[in-house]
Amino acid sequence: MESIIARLEAIEEGALKEIKAAQTIEQLESLRIKYLGRKGEVTTTLRQLGKIPSEQRPLVGKKGNEIKEKIQLALEEATEALKQKIAAEVKHIDVTLPGRRAYSYGTLHPITQVMREICDIFLRLGFDIAEGPDVELDYYNFEALNIPPHHPARDMQDTFYISSDVVLRTHTSSIQIRVMEKEKPPIRIIAPGAVYRCDADVSHTPMFHQVEGLLVEKNVSFSQLKGILTTFMEAVFGEGIGVRFRPSFFPFTEPSAEMDISCVICGGKGCRVCKGTGWLEILGCGMVDPAVFEKVGYDPEIYTGFAFGLGVERIAMLKYGIDDIRLFFENHLGFLKQF
Ligand code: PHE
């Protein structure tokens, strides 16, 4: 009798352990067959009841039934728990949820944003927008701007040549000539666009963007140029920005100047970005050279004008504190998403 009871207890222990470990409804069903089925371990063990003395049978039988019930109960509980787990997992997949977008909405490229901001300011100041081709004749890019062949100023801008007289424009000043050829003064335009120079480092890319400005009328003065550009810088960088004009040289303007703004990083105290000077070079400008007016058939005795050219990337870098121009063209989402 002892041995049958011990055997039943061992079966119980094994069965409960296996039931606990079962992962699927199918595994539980095969455990039910293994232990409680017609040829199951509990069933076959209890069949040996006949071999023990009749007065001991009720005791062993009772034990056997208890174990059967325990296993049965454990199987039912485990099956129920598994069913609930599966149901919960199914619920997890909410087919009514909208699909997940790969990206949030796109935004305009920072250069486009700054370009538009620059254009908006000049539109408010009464300028119109003019455009010209990126692939340009040598004549418009150099010749008509008072830069004849072999002029040393051609070295200032390392040029991509398409052929001996066709280039990728090195500046938007070419558009000045195209506009003046077609129209008579008064002229008040800005010309935004991509320009190309054979140059690449942290502050130069082979393609970048400029906005050209041109104003031609009677009695245009240098002080008007200073006024317009100062108003513009205040609109971009805030009222407190300091500006100064330094004498410079461009073949198509006379006199020529470079405009500086007070360093946006240190506020003019001197830092690494402004190389300790407190000033940042921001654009080139000047009064239109009479030689240019003659090329387009304007009488320099009647008309005067001013022109300027500014770099869009340069303004965007200073506005947002970006120290490497190449970031604009690498298209990393982490960078672009910040704008
Ligand atoms: N075209 C000049 C440059 O690219 C800038 C400039 C434009 C200077 C108009 C004077 C007048 O550097």
Side-chain angles (χ1 to χ4, degrees):
M1 167 184 128
E2 294 299 323
S3 69
I4 294 189
I5 288 181
R7 169 104 189 91
L8 283 169
E9 281 171 346
I11 291 170
E12 178 194 353
E13 202 189 312
L16 293 182
K17 219 188 249 168
E18 280 195 88
I19 290 167
K20 227 175 148 182
Q23 299 288 338
T24 64
I25 306 277
E26 292 72 31
Q27 279 171 11
L28 288 171
E29 175 59 12
S30 51
L31 287 176
R32 191 189 63 76
I33 295 166
K34 178 176 171 188
Y35 290 105
L36 307 179
R38 261 193 321 120
K39 291 177 191 158
E41 289 183 30
V42 178
T43 322
T44 49
T45 308
L46 284 176
R47 280 214 192 99
Q48 292 163 19
L49 223 52
K51 290 179 192 156
I52 60 171
S54 56
E55 70 274 15
Q56 291 174 359
R57 278 179 211 161
L59 204 71
V60 179
K62 194 171 162 239
K63 184 77 185 167
N65 282 331
E66 273 170 23
I67 287 173
K68 252 193 197 166
E69 269 166 33
K70 263 197 200 163
I71 294 175
Q72 185 66 43
L73 193 72
L75 279 168
E76 277 167 17
E77 278 174 4
T79 307
E80 190 52 34
L82 255 181
K83 276 187 184 161
Q84 274 180 20
K85 198 175 143 203
I86 290 165
E89 275 167 8
V90 169
K91 249 194 220 148
H92 227 77
I93 306 166
D94 181 352
V95 293
T96 67
L97 273 178
R100 205 177 291 156
R101 260 189 291 272
Y103 308 102
S104 55
Y105 288 118
T107 52
L108 291 175
H109 191 278
I111 293 303
T112 307
Q113 290 184 34
V114 172
M115 184 77 110
R116 289 192 181 178
E117 186 184 337
I118 293 169
C119 290
D120 282 347
I121 294 169
F122 283 113
L123 287 171
R124 287 204 297 275
L125 290 169
F127 287 73
D128 286 331
I129 293 185
E131 282 179 318
D134 291 32
V135 178
E136 186 56 286
L137 289 170
D138 180 286
Y139 178 77
Y140 292 105
N141 195 80
F142 292 126
E143 188 77 32
L145 286 161
N146 201 26
I147 316 175
H150 311 300
H151 189 286
R154 291 206 183 204
D155 298 340
M156 282 163 65
Q157 312 172 354
D158 263 319
T159 310
F160 289 111
Y161 278 89
I162 304 275
S163 68
S164 62
D165 61 348
V166 180
V167 301
L168 290 181
R169 68 177 173 212
T170 60
H171 54 184
T172 42
S173 300
S174 52
I175 302 168
Q176 287 184 32
I177 306 298
R178 287 184 172 273
V179 170
M180 286 191 280
E181 259 189 357
K182 272 207 271 166
E183 287 165 40
K184 294 284 153 239
I187 284 177
R188 220 176 227 257
I189 56 105
I190 51 162
V195 299
Y196 306 83
R197 293 181 196 179
C198 199
D199 208 349
D201 60 39
V202 285
S203 52
H204 298 88
T205 45
M207 186 278 303
F208 61 102
H209 299 83
Q210 284 187 334
V211 173
E212 190 81 8
L214 175 70
L215 186 145
V216 184
E217 275 169 59
K218 286 175 186 159
N219 302 319
V220 177
S221 69
F222 197 90
S223 71
Q224 287 170 326
L225 168 62
K226 288 172 75 175
I228 290 274
L229 291 179
T230 304
T231 303
F232 168 75
M233 291 305 165
E234 285 172 349
V236 175
F237 293 104
E239 296 272 322
I241 196 82
V243 300
R244 72 174 184 187
F245 292 82
R246 279 179 294 105
S248 185
F249 173 79
F250 299 101
F252 36 92
T253 46
E254 183 58 37
S256 302
E258 257 163 324
M259 184 184 191
D260 293 344
I261 56 169
S262 55
C263 181
V264 291
I265 309 295
C266 66
K269 284 191 215 72
C271 68
R272 194 178 54 87
V273 175
C274 60
K275 298 192 186 80
T277 64
W279 295 98
L280 296 164
E281 195 183 307
I282 194 96
L283 57 76
C285 60
M287 302 307 291
V288 180
D289 195 296
V292 174
F293 281 153
E294 269 158 21
K295 287 274 187 195
V296 295
Y298 287 7
D299 184 346
E301 296 300 326
I302 301 175
Y303 296 109
T304 47
F306 64 71
F308 57 88
L310 55 86
V312 179
E313 281 76 2
R314 174 116 177 112
I315 290 192
M317 286 169 81
L318 294 174
K319 198 172 152 73
Y320 296 115
I322 296 160
D323 61 4
D324 188 338
I325 192 174
R326 293 170 294 201
L327 285 166
F328 289 125
F329 306 108
E330 284 167 354
N331 288 332
H332 291 153
L333 283 178
F335 173 77
L336 295 177
K337 274 187 168 175
Q338 295 176 47
F339 301 92

